Structures are given as C-alpha cells and as structure tokens.
Amino acid sequence: PSRPGRARRPRPLFFPRSRGFSRQSGREGAGGSAMSGAVLAGTPIAVDCWSLRRAPAARLFFLSHMHSDHTAGLSSTWSRPLYCSPITARLLHRRLQVPTCWIRPLEVGQSHVVDEVTVTVLDSNHCPGSVMFLFEGTFGTILYTGDFRYTSSMQAEPLLRGRHIDRLYLDNTHCHPELALPSRQLATQQAADLIRAHPHHHVVIGVYTLGKEALLVDLALEFRTWVVVSPWRLEQMRLLELPDVFTSEEGAGWIRAVDVAEIRWDSLVSWNALQPTIAIVPTGRPVKVTHPSIYPIPYSDHSSFSELCEFVEWLKPCSVIPIVKDNMCQVYFQEYLSSAPQVLPDLRVPKPLAKPVQQQSQRRGQCTLCLWKRAAWHSAPRGVVFESPEKHPEKPGALAGAKVPQQHHCEPEACSKGACTSPRDEEKVKEELSGEQSGAASAVRQAPGCSEHFPNGLAEQYLLTPLNVLEQNSSQTFNELVEDFFRR
C-alpha cells in the first residue's frame, strides 16, 4: 500500500490496446492511428481519403461520415468537389470550414450520375449523416459500407435487393466470433433498466463528438426528461435536426450528456458529492472501470460479427475487402461469396508510346516477363494506394508455372541495366519466379519505369474469390485479356 498522501488516483476507464481504442478518433475500434480511407482499385474514386499525394489519379472524392478518423487531412483548404450526404455537408462546412462551393450533397436513397460513374447513396445506420456508397461503372459494381450497423431491415432496400456486387468494402471493426454484441434496441433497454434501478440518481452519459444521439433521444422519451448538453453540442443537435429533447439549461433535466473523456474517477467523486450520480458509457468494446458508479453498456454503432455474417450471406458479393486494414477477416465469409464471374477492374492503360520509341523497343526484342513479375511482387505502388484483400501477396511458387506471353515489349527505359529479361535470359527469370524473392524485389528497384505505369493490385483483387471463379479467370479468356493489356 502507498503512503498517506502519495496515493495515485486510478484511471477511470481502461480501454485495452488490443481493441485499438482511440480517444481522438471518436470511434470504437479505430486503432492507434486515424483511418486512411481507400482509393478503389481500377476506379477514379477515393473514399474518406484526403491525401492527394496518396491518390494522385483520383478525381472523385466521397466522404462517408464526419467522424475524425474519416476526415483526417480534410480542412478549409480543400479545393476539389467532394460528395457526401446533406447532413454531413452541413457539419463539414460548420465544423471544418470546407467551402460550400466544393461540397456536393447527394440525396440519400437515390442514384446519381457523377462523371460517368453511377453512385447510389444509402443510409449506413451508424451516426447522423453516415452513408454507404454503391458505385457502378465499367469497373463493375462496388459497395463501400463505410462504418455501418447492419439490420435485417436493410434487406428490404430496393436499391440493394438482388444486386450483383463485385467488391464489398466492409466495416470489420467487430469482425471476430468472440465479439458478441446485442442489438442497439436491446442495449438501449439495458440502459433504461439500469436507470430504473437507480430512481434517485442523476444520470451522466459519456458520448463522442458525433454518435449515440439515438440513445439519448430514446432515453429522453422513455423517462420524459430533458437531456442537458453543452451549448456547442446543442447547436450540433439542431444542425442534425433531431427531436427537441435537448437543452443547455443546467438543472432542466436529470440526464446529462458529456464527452466520454469526462467520465473520470474524480468527476464521479465530485458529482456524487452534490447528488447521487451514475455514469453510463455506451460502447461496443470491453472496458474496465475503477469507480462503482460507472456502468458500461454494450451499445455499438458498428455491426456485430453475427450481423456481418448475415449481411455478407444475403448480399453474396464476389469478394470482400476489409476497411480496417489490420484486421483481416475474409476467412469468415468465404462460404458466402458468389460464384458468379467477377468484373475485372477498368485498368487505366498509359498513353501509347511515340512511334519511333515503339519501333526501338521492338528492335530490342524484349519480352514482358518483367511486367508479369511485377504484377506478383510489386504490391506497394508508388502513387495511389490500392486496397488489397490480403496483407501479403501469394508466394512466388504459385506463379512458377504461369504461361507468359512472349511477343510483347517494355519501354526502352525500363529495360535498361538488365531489369527486363531478354529471350536468352528466360531460364534465369523462371528460376527467380519459382523462389528468388530477393531477386524479384531487386528487379523492381532497378526498373522504376515499368513500375511507375503498371496498374497495381490486379492479382490481389482476386485472392478472395471462390475457386471456380479463379479457375474461370485463369482460363484462356483471362489470358487473352492480360495479353491484350500487355500488347496495348
């Protein structure tokens, strides 16, 4: 035991790092750093990605919702068209001072044509203004859920029912069989029962900057009391056009909403010195508490594991790509994937070389084994970061017996210093493909000309498709498509 007067106050709430809680992000399970968003492979689309250095080829920018881990890098200096829901548009201008001339609100529940891409905006049931994006174009059909909480009522959505989905970017925050969460209705009932068990106590609820408003409204209506909030939060509630159950007048109600960071040991001591008080922390992840008046409630704005399985089984996409990149969970959904052929991404082919350069390249007689090697090894592009369903590509042995076209040519700059392989060096290249990882990596470093223009992520996009689809993609049709790409 510590000496008198030297005892340290225990921390009020302890969020295990294994779940990746971040106070700054305002999002449970967001990880130690902010979300980086995604540039959708084979498309001009970037979602929740505001680094132009990471997305130099993107020209269509979408914001799923206003949580800070999805707006990292977005500020008043943004100067490109940005598409989002009307509620997010109001918050975006008010909170981040993004100029309205760049904000393009898209009505929820409707389809819109944006630069030859059809985008359908759907409510994601996460927080006010949060949406899912359904993209359709020459690249196929992509559903980007953003952060979402699935309910069976989504199956009644006519814009999703019976839709073929090539790629599903999935919110996998709670994608683990051990993370069992009740529905938000049941969690709200648990909070109400806890309040009834303390009839003479005031109630303080810890919430983030945005989110859990539905819980506050339900409790206010259940107990017929005002919910006291700060003037800043009251202004936001009015921007969100929520029911009129909030006030900033102290003492007007006995339920108060505060920032979750205020649920501390010393705060509970101070509050209980004035009147008996309990604190409720609605969160979908396990926490440890150090004060007997702090009560976590399993209320989450992210889908539970069982809900994710039900959603993927109903949607039957061709592939699943996790949004939270450090939590690879595709193995859980393999049995639910569709066996229908998957649409190949619309690869952006660079402009044709000048005629003299083409003739010079043909005289050199170089083949494209180096390009094929880069498709397997060079998974980290120099510009746009493409999503990959796996952290690591397959081992080189999987491509050792691949049939490689022989009559196509690289750029002359890319073939210098032995980076590309001439016909007489074919045996040496095959040895590298069958197991020399260091040699392949070295070849990539020696030939920046090839890797600069070669669209990455082609192989990774199909690592998660059913076996029979892979067999179809490995057939003569697929080989001809690849050869045609190399020829161009």
Side-chain angles (χ1 to χ4, degrees):
S2 304
R3 290 178 295 174
R6 304 260 316 172
R8 293 183 178 180
R9 292 178 178 177
R11 296 178 65 182
L13 286 171
F14 174 70
F15 295 86
R17 283 188 177 271
S18 61
R19 301 302 182 188
F21 177 79
S22 171
R23 283 187 189 276
Q24 294 180 351
S25 69
R27 171 185 184 271
E28 53 196 62
S33 60
M35 293 281 289
S36 57
V39 180
L40 308 191
T43 79
I45 299 168
V47 184
D48 298 340
C49 180
W50 313 110
S51 171
L52 299 181
R53 179 185 61 83
R54 290 185 57 241
R59 64 177 185 272
L60 301 178
F61 294 85
F62 294 83
L63 175 61
S64 63
H65 63 293
M66 272 292 292
H67 277 165
S68 59
D69 54 323
H70 294 257
T71 60
L74 187 57
S75 67
S76 60
T77 62
W78 183 261
S79 58
R80 297 192 180 192
L82 182 159
Y83 301 90
C84 59
S85 69
I87 291 178
T88 297
R90 292 198 295 269
L91 294 175
L92 189 60
H93 176 65
R94 182 67 176 176
R95 299 304 178 205
L96 297 183
Q97 286 78 51
V98 175
T100 55
C101 62
W102 298 117
I103 302 175
R104 307 284 195 270
L106 300 178
E107 288 298 327
V108 181
Q110 296 183 14
S111 297
H112 312 263
V113 178
V114 180
D115 195 16
E116 299 183 356
V117 174
T118 300
V119 54
T120 303
V121 185
L122 303 166
D123 186 1
S124 69
N125 195 33
H126 175 67
C127 70
S130 63
V131 293
M132 301 185 286
F133 295 112
L134 180 68
F135 300 108
E136 298 173 274
T138 57
F139 48 79
T141 303
I142 301 174
L143 177 61
Y144 193 98
T145 67
D147 290 350
F148 88 124
R149 183 72 194 259
Y150 168 78
T151 64
S152 57
S153 61
M154 289 183 178
Q155 297 189 18
E157 174 56 62
L159 296 173
L160 277 181
R161 192 187 312 129
R163 189 68 66 100
H164 170 82
I165 304 297
D166 293 298
R167 283 178 279 169
L168 171 63
Y169 285 79
L170 184 66
D171 173 19
N172 56 313
T173 299
H174 294 314
C175 186
H176 197 282
E178 296 180 1
L179 297 178
L181 294 171
S183 65
R184 286 193 294 195
Q185 290 75 14
L186 183 57
T188 301
Q189 190 60 44
Q190 292 182 22
D193 293 341
L194 177 62
I195 294 174
R196 290 192 187 93
H198 299 80
H200 305 295
H201 287 66
H202 281 213
V203 178
V204 178
I205 303 177
V207 294
Y208 302 125
T209 303
L210 180 67
K212 309 296 192 297
E213 289 83 3
L215 173 65
L216 301 177
V217 172
D218 290 341
L219 293 178
L221 298 177
E222 176 76 17
F223 295 101
R224 298 173 182 251
T225 179
W226 292 97
V227 176
V228 181
V229 297
S230 65
W232 181 93
R233 195 179 292 273
L234 179 61
E235 178 192 14
Q236 177 165 284
M237 299 301 186
R238 290 171 177 168
L239 281 175
L240 299 177
E241 300 179 351
L242 294 173
D244 187 17
V245 298
F246 301 98
T247 180
S248 59
E249 181 182 350
E250 290 292 335
W254 50 272
I255 295 180
R256 185 161 76 255
V258 301
D259 189 271
V260 68
E262 295 185 42
I263 308 298
R264 305 189 302 268
W265 180 84
D266 55 340
S267 299
L268 265 296
V269 172
S270 301
W271 294 334
N272 277 282
L274 299 177
Q275 69 253 331
T277 303
I278 62 172
I280 296 177
V281 180
T283 178
R285 47 161 311 175
V287 298
K288 295 180 180 179
V289 297
T290 57
H291 194 284
S293 296
I294 298 178
Y295 297 90
I297 294 294
Y299 185 103
S300 177
D301 288 326
H302 297 268
S303 303
S304 66
F305 177 76
S306 61
E307 291 168 347
L308 290 175
C309 290
E310 182 180 342
F311 178 68
V312 177
E313 184 179 13
W314 167 66
L315 205 58
K316 290 181 174 57
C318 292
S319 62
V320 175
I321 303 173
I323 291 178
V324 182
K325 302 173 185 61
D326 60 351
N327 181 13
M328 296 301 163
C329 60
Q330 297 96 321
V331 64
Y332 301 123
F333 308 120
Q334 190 68 38
E335 61 180 307
Y336 306 132
L337 299 182
S338 172
S339 59
Q342 185 174 2
V343 176
L344 291 172
D346 181 22
L347 298 175
R348 300 294 177 182
V349 180
K351 294 181 179 180
L353 298 174
K355 202 167 186 179
V357 178
Q358 287 182 341
Q359 294 174 353
Q360 180 182 3
S361 176
Q362 291 173 2
R363 285 196 301 268
R364 293 195 177 192
Q366 304 297 334
C367 69
T368 56
L369 283 172
C370 62
L371 291 181
W372 189 270
K373 202 161 56 176
R374 279 149 184 73
W377 282 108
H378 192 48
S379 60
R382 301 177 61 185
V384 177
V385 177
F386 295 119
E387 286 290 352
S388 170
E390 299 291 345
K391 286 186 176 179
H392 306 286
E394 290 183 336
K395 295 183 179 180
L399 296 178
K403 180 181 179 181
V404 183
Q406 299 294 323
Q407 298 180 1
H408 312 296
H409 310 280
C410 296
E411 296 182 53
E413 297 84 0
C415 299
S416 61
K417 298 182 181 181
C420 292
T421 308
S422 61
R424 63 183 178 182
D425 295 329
E426 182 176 349
E427 294 181 359
K428 183 178 178 181
V429 173
K430 288 185 177 180
E431 290 178 3
E432 291 180 353
L433 284 175
S434 62
E436 292 292 331
Q437 178 175 359
S438 60
S442 175
V444 172
R445 288 192 296 269
Q446 292 174 359
C450 280
S451 61
E452 181 176 0
H453 298 290
F454 187 77
N456 298 282
L458 174 64
E460 289 101 322
Q461 288 299 322
Y462 300 98
L463 293 179
L464 194 61
T465 54
L467 182 59
N468 61 336
V469 178
L470 286 176
E471 291 174 349
Q472 295 175 16
N473 288 340
S474 300
S475 65
Q476 183 178 358
T477 302
F478 180 76
N479 288 339
E480 290 176 354
L481 186 88
V482 174
E483 291 175 4
D484 179 67
F485 165 71
F486 285 146
R487 186 178 300 109
R488 288 184 291 169

